[in-house]
Amino acid sequence: MERKFYWKHELPYVIIYWSMTFFSFFLGMILNLEKAKFHWYSLPFFGLFFLFIAYNRQKYIRFLGKEVKLSKGFFYKKTIELKDIHQVIIFNDHLVIHYETTKLDCYFSKKTIQNVTNAFVDQLPEKVRFENAEEI
């Protein structure tokens, strides 16, 4: 069964990211509403806004049977077999996946972290460790 969970970065990165996203939207609106006619030079800012929104939807973890597909954006997608994951550390609001020589910090909402935790416990019960979190 295929399951997909969207993740986000730490709060400081999220604040900067969404500030840039809405800055491009509001700048496009200001340029467009400067006069009563449509301005073509406001389109790149709207395009940048939608590009930021699309990029944000590309960060996910997908469980594919014996593999996990990690995506950090448009061009970085990596498929890892479950046996190659060394350890998964689960905190209250995020988890850290150690694989090969890399670690990935993923922040989730409370509902999603429970579902991701259950998915990892089902797939890798011996490699999951809880830190400052209640076992689910």
Side-chain angles (χ1 to χ4, degrees):
M1 182 168 101
E2 182 177 312
R3 293 179 283 183
K4 188 175 185 179
F5 302 102
Y6 293 98
W7 59 276
K8 57 188 180 241
H9 290 288
E10 292 182 66
L11 186 60
Y13 295 115
V14 171
I15 290 171
I16 292 169
Y17 175 82
W18 284 108
S19 297
M20 291 182 346
T21 301
F22 284 111
F23 173 77
S24 66
F25 174 74
F26 289 126
L27 186 60
M29 286 298 292
I30 288 169
L31 291 174
N32 193 24
L33 297 175
E34 189 68 33
K35 295 184 180 176
K37 63 178 188 170
F38 181 73
H39 292 281
W40 290 101
Y41 52 84
S42 66
L43 280 181
F45 294 104
F46 287 123
L48 186 63
F49 170 73
F50 289 115
L51 184 70
F52 279 143
I53 297 290
Y55 177 75
N56 190 47
R57 297 296 296 168
Q58 293 296 319
K59 296 182 289 188
Y60 60 82
I61 295 176
R62 179 182 285 166
F63 290 88
L64 304 165
K66 297 285 183 193
E67 297 176 334
V68 175
K69 186 173 186 179
L70 302 174
S71 175
K72 290 185 181 178
F74 291 122
F75 305 112
Y76 183 84
K77 291 179 177 56
K78 183 166 184 133
T79 303
I80 302 168
E81 292 191 27
L82 290 174
K83 63 181 172 103
D84 294 336
I85 295 176
H86 302 301
Q87 188 175 31
V88 178
I89 304 171
I90 299 173
F91 296 90
N92 286 332
D93 61 345
H94 74 284
L95 59 88
V96 180
I97 302 170
H98 294 273
Y99 63 95
E100 296 166 358
T101 60
T102 309
K103 77 174 190 172
L104 175 67
D105 290 314
C106 303
Y107 285 78
F108 297 95
S109 66
K110 289 187 185 260
K111 181 181 175 184
T112 308
I113 191 75
Q114 291 175 349
N115 294 334
V116 172
T117 300
N118 291 336
F120 272 114
V121 168
D122 290 344
Q123 299 285 332
L124 298 167
E126 68 280 354
K127 295 182 181 180
V128 174
R129 191 176 90 206
F130 293 93
E131 293 281 333
N132 300 328
E134 297 135 11
E135 291 194 30
I136 298 172

